[in-house]
Amino acid sequence: MSLSTSPSATYHSSPASIDASRWQRGNTAAAAAKQLKPFATEDIRILLLENVNQTGRDILAAQGYQVDFLKTSLPEDELIQRIRDVHVIGIRSKTQLTARVLREAKNLIVVGCFCIGTNQVDTQYAAKHGIAVFNSPFSNSRSVAELIIAEVIMLARQLGDRSNELHRGTWNKVSSGCWEIRGKTLGSQLSVLAEAMGMTVIFYDAINLMALGTAKQVPNLETLLRGADFVTCHVPELPETHNLIGPAQFEQMKRGSYLINASRGSVIDIPALIDAIRSGKLAGAALDVYPAEPGGNGDYFTNDLNLWIEDLRSLKNIILTPHIGGSTEEAQSAIGIEVSEALVRYVNEGGTLGAVNMPEVHLRSLTTEEHNHVRVIYIHHNVPGVLRKVNEILGDHNVDKQMTDSRGDVAYLMADISDVNASVIKDLYQSLEGLS
């Protein structure tokens, strides 16, 4: 994690320990706010995997970083070989940054997840070794919401079955079991779109949330399941959400209701879902995520992946999509911008706002009037005595501003120091590294 640079030389140390220091100096642009950058921008090496959107690639390349781009994910052994020399890695949902992989990433300072989830990264290991992780929690929300609304209508009208029948040459014009969605109750926070189509929205969350439109929050999951015609899931992958909807929950749902899951594959007990559809308890379902998913495109959605897949594929009025909830041009462009800008801010300025595994620390910008200033970032174990030792090192210098915060076992310090030169920077760097 450690990166220290000066105008004439660059000093790097391994991120193997959580103790890490980084230095940035401002340029002399005419703007009131001084743009901070590492002293040797060309030394920042970035590896982008899984076809990260062009918007994100352009933002990173414009900073002068060395950017390597691949359209696919990498097997673990190959990933280990590629990650050893990079400072920044950008991934989507397929790449697995396990402790084994991160252990080999000696220069890595930050991970950018160009998606919502971060469960593909060992964020705890990353934090303990001074590696920040950023994601894009909201940029694809509209795309996912539109997919779900489309699936609500498709399920209510059995459009998937009718389309498949015609593709096979069968004309089957029926109205039995087909419904308008007007007046139906949707169990989610898709209220803006759903209410515009004449639906009533109820939702359940573990915490109290401000409702949108005329949506109503219900006190527990059972109340939602008993009241909703369409149940949609929008939860992260956590131990408490594993098989959140199982046999008991399907029993609580209305007969003839529908289930839609575009959150995480572990949330639904799929064998129980298969039983609920076969028994007629549910009239249909739509799934966009699965407990295990193929690593790439191809004919891989078979029982070799999950033992129940062929049973799932055989069901009537069930829509199966390959994790495409956020796969629109608009969403991927927005994600590319959001995550890349977060990476640039972290590399250039050290700000951790939005990091999923670090304390959120931010200092106001230096100005163009503040010459020979340096910004120090020091990441360390949250134990007594460290700040005293750090301040003893900084105490011989003019610290203009300083902020520190902790999150569990990790502490993050940021300080701006004035009237420094290259030799002072090197001495400060070595002194802070000596605390590791």
Side-chain angles (χ1 to χ4, degrees):
M1 171 65 186
S2 304
L3 169 61
S4 172
T5 58
S6 74
S8 59
T10 301
Y11 308 96
H12 295 278
S13 69
S14 168
S17 165
I18 195 172
D19 296 292
S21 57
R22 295 197 289 132
W23 309 80
Q24 290 107 351
R25 174 170 291 181
N27 62 28
T28 56
K34 185 180 293 185
Q35 178 64 45
L36 297 177
K37 280 193 174 184
F39 293 126
T41 301
E42 67 276 6
D43 284 348
I44 301 298
R45 296 192 60 184
I46 298 179
L47 175 61
L48 299 179
L49 302 176
E50 302 184 69
N51 202 27
V52 167
N53 192 266
Q54 185 69 49
T55 57
R57 285 142 52 191
D58 290 344
I59 289 170
L60 296 170
Q63 293 293 317
Y65 308 147
Q66 299 180 44
V67 180
D68 292 328
F69 165 74
L70 294 176
K71 290 187 176 182
T72 63
S73 59
L74 294 174
E76 186 171 75
D77 289 341
E78 187 176 351
L79 177 60
I80 286 174
Q81 295 297 321
R82 295 294 297 267
I83 203 173
R84 283 177 174 152
D85 297 325
V86 303
H87 302 95
V88 181
I89 187 168
I91 64 172
R92 294 177 67 189
S93 59
K94 299 302 181 189
T95 300
Q96 299 296 308
L97 294 181
T98 62
R100 177 173 179 256
V101 173
L102 294 174
R103 191 176 299 116
E104 301 295 327
K106 303 302 183 183
N107 294 316
L108 192 67
I109 62 174
V110 62
V111 174
C113 295
F114 287 77
C115 52
I116 292 179
T118 57
N119 55 292
Q120 70 276 37
V121 181
D122 190 333
T123 54
Q124 185 175 3
Y125 182 94
K128 288 182 177 179
H129 292 79
I131 303 169
V133 180
F134 292 88
N135 68 334
S136 179
F138 306 116
S139 291
N140 69 0
S141 297
R142 175 70 186 202
S143 295
V144 175
E146 289 185 3
L147 176 68
I148 291 172
I149 288 293
E151 290 174 337
V152 166
I153 297 172
M154 289 183 69
L155 290 171
R157 297 294 299 273
Q158 301 179 8
L159 295 182
D161 288 354
R162 299 295 87 78
S163 177
N164 288 336
E165 288 162 356
L166 273 183
H167 277 284
R168 295 194 300 266
T170 301
W171 184 274
N172 185 25
K173 182 178 179 179
V174 296
S175 60
S176 177
C178 298
W179 312 94
E180 294 181 355
I181 66 169
R182 178 177 52 184
K184 302 299 187 296
T185 301
L186 179 69
S188 77
Q189 282 231 73
L190 296 167
S191 50
V192 174
L193 296 175
E195 288 180 3
M197 304 180 77
M199 302 185 77
T200 300
V201 178
I202 59 175
F203 67 95
Y204 166 68
D205 199 288
I207 60 175
N208 289 326
L209 297 174
M210 183 180 70
L212 301 176
T214 60
K216 296 180 180 179
Q217 186 164 6
V218 296
N220 52 57
L221 180 59
E222 181 177 352
T223 301
L224 182 139
L225 295 175
R226 294 190 183 281
D229 299 291
F230 293 86
V231 175
T232 73
C233 300
H234 310 269
V235 297
E237 185 174 41
L238 300 170
E240 53 266 38
T241 62
H242 181 74
N243 285 346
L244 180 68
I245 307 295
Q249 288 72 37
F250 286 121
E251 186 60 32
Q252 293 166 359
M253 292 176 66
K254 286 184 176 182
R255 188 167 189 84
S257 59
Y258 306 85
L259 177 72
I260 300 174
N261 183 29
S263 59
R264 287 292 178 262
S266 61
V267 171
I268 306 298
D269 181 340
I270 295 185
L273 170 64
I274 293 170
D275 291 341
I277 293 178
R278 284 176 171 169
S279 70
K281 178 68 176 183
L282 266 63
L287 302 177
D288 188 48
V289 289
Y290 310 89
E293 298 179 358
N297 294 341
D299 298 330
Y300 307 123
F301 197 63
T302 67
N303 276 13
D304 292 336
L305 190 66
N306 295 290
L307 293 177
W308 34 257
I309 283 184
E310 291 180 16
D311 286 338
L312 188 69
R313 288 165 46 189
S314 70
L315 297 175
K316 294 288 187 181
N317 204 31
I318 182 163
I319 300 170
L320 305 176
T321 50
H323 204 150
I324 57 171
S327 295
T328 64
E329 294 288 351
E330 294 89 346
Q332 292 306 308
S333 175
I335 290 171
I337 293 170
E338 181 179 4
V339 178
S340 291
E341 288 182 346
L343 295 176
V344 169
R345 283 194 301 271
Y346 185 72
V347 172
N348 289 359
E349 303 173 16
T352 57
L353 295 181
V356 302
N357 67 335
M358 288 281 178
E360 293 192 292
V361 177
H362 174 73
L363 286 181
R364 69 180 183 274
S365 298
L366 295 169
T367 71
T368 54
E369 303 300 320
E370 296 173 298
H371 303 291
N372 295 320
H373 282 59
V374 68
R375 173 163 291 179
V376 181
I377 294 108
Y378 189 70
I379 308 171
H380 59 89
H381 289 290
N382 184 24
V383 295
V386 176
L387 282 181
R388 175 178 56 81
K389 294 178 181 178
V390 171
N391 286 324
E392 286 175 354
I393 294 172
L394 301 181
D396 293 333
H397 306 277
N398 185 29
V399 179
D400 288 346
K401 49 186 179 288
Q402 178 177 325
M403 180 178 178
T404 185
D405 197 1
S406 62
R407 181 173 181 171
D409 296 331
V410 180
Y412 194 96
L413 178 145
M414 185 186 296
D416 288 346
I417 304 174
S418 61
D419 299 322
V420 293
N421 56 39
S423 62
V424 171
I425 292 172
K426 184 177 180 180
D427 290 343
L428 281 172
Y429 172 79
Q430 292 175 340
S431 297
L432 288 172
E433 283 297 297
L435 298 179
S436 301

